[in-house]
Amino acid sequence: MTTRGKRAAETLYDKPLSSKGKLEVNLSTYAFLFSEIVQYSHGRVTSLSQLHEKLSDLGKHAGFRMIDVLCLREKTPKRETRLVNHLLYIQKTLWKTLFYKEADRLEQATASESTFYLFEDDPVVNRFISVPKDQSSLNCAAFVAGIIEGFLNGTQFACKVRAFALKDQPSTTAFEIKFEDSVITRDKMLESVK
């Protein structure tokens, strides 16, 4: 029985992830689950580049679904149309939803106006993965790169994203975001309308 004026029953998207009101998932549970995803993916590929691609593909599905989750949880949903504002939204809101903290920094490449870098010091997806010596270039943050790419492509900011460790700081991962020319052109048009 419902009465007029009362809010309809809350849906799954309205409720926090835990019943105590905290939005935290046990880190050991997350680490175990992600480790199983990496092992499962590793058993179905023949090269390290294929493993990165498989992890990225899995992340794209998660990133695309995060669009709905964030839109439904925000009290006043607003779609960002400007490129830099959308990247700042990812750095702050999306990152807080996924990792309970903001990404460390966001920078635009000096050589290209269509390339941006999002930096994360010690990403949680790399923290609990044991990497064999023969696969030292494995970076499980390819999964997070997929999340970023899925989120951006799903919100009409067509791009390609890849993750790599910095040479001088191996614990820091950079996410290189390369936007298609159409996105840059649209952003310039929006700037000129202002």
Side-chain angles (χ1 to χ4, degrees), residues 2 8 14 56 72 78-79 83 104 127 130 134:
T2 60
D14 297 323
S56 180
L72 290 171
K78 176 182 124 178
R79 183 175 181 267
L83 178 62
D104 293 310
R127 203 175 298 163
S130 299
D134 62 329

Side-chain angles (χ1 to χ4, degrees), residues 7 37 43 51 53 58 68 84 105 139 154-155 177 186:
R7 187 173 178 210
I37 290 171
L51 178 58
E53 189 176 316
L58 290 169
D68 292 335
V84 173
R105 62 191 180 282
N139 191 339
T155 53
I177 308 166
R186 181 183 68 206

Side-chain angles (χ1 to χ4, degrees), residues 3 10-11 30 33 37 41 50 55-56 76 80 82 87 108 116 134 145 148 151 166-167 174 180 192:
T3 60
E10 287 188 354
T11 64
Y30 173 79
L33 178 63
I37 290 171
S41 300
Q50 287 179 340
L55 289 173
S56 180
T76 55
E80 290 293 345
R82 300 297 313 277
L87 288 171
Q108 184 173 11
F116 289 81
D134 62 329
I148 297 167
F151 188 86
L166 298 179
K167 290 179 183 175
E180 291 183 3
S192 67

Side-chain angles (χ1 to χ4, degrees), residues 78-92 106-109 112-118 148-149 151-161 176-192 194:
K78 176 182 124 178
R79 183 175 181 267
E80 290 293 345
T81 55
R82 300 297 313 277
L83 178 62
V84 173
N85 291 344
H86 202 59
L87 288 171
L88 289 170
Y89 181 83
I90 288 172
Q91 179 191 9
K92 297 174 189 293
L106 173 69
E107 297 176 6
Q108 184 173 11
S112 171
E113 65 182 348
S114 64
T115 304
F116 289 81
Y117 294 96
L118 189 64
I148 297 167
E149 186 173 332
F151 188 86
L152 284 168
N153 286 329
T155 53
Q156 307 304 312
F157 288 87
C159 67
K160 292 287 182 194
V161 181
E176 180 185 56
I177 308 166
K178 287 189 176 184
F179 291 98
E180 291 183 3
D181 292 337
S182 61
V183 174
I184 302 303
T185 304
R186 181 183 68 206
D187 198 55
K188 286 180 179 177
M189 279 180 25
L190 290 171
E191 179 68 28
S192 67
K194 255 180 141 178

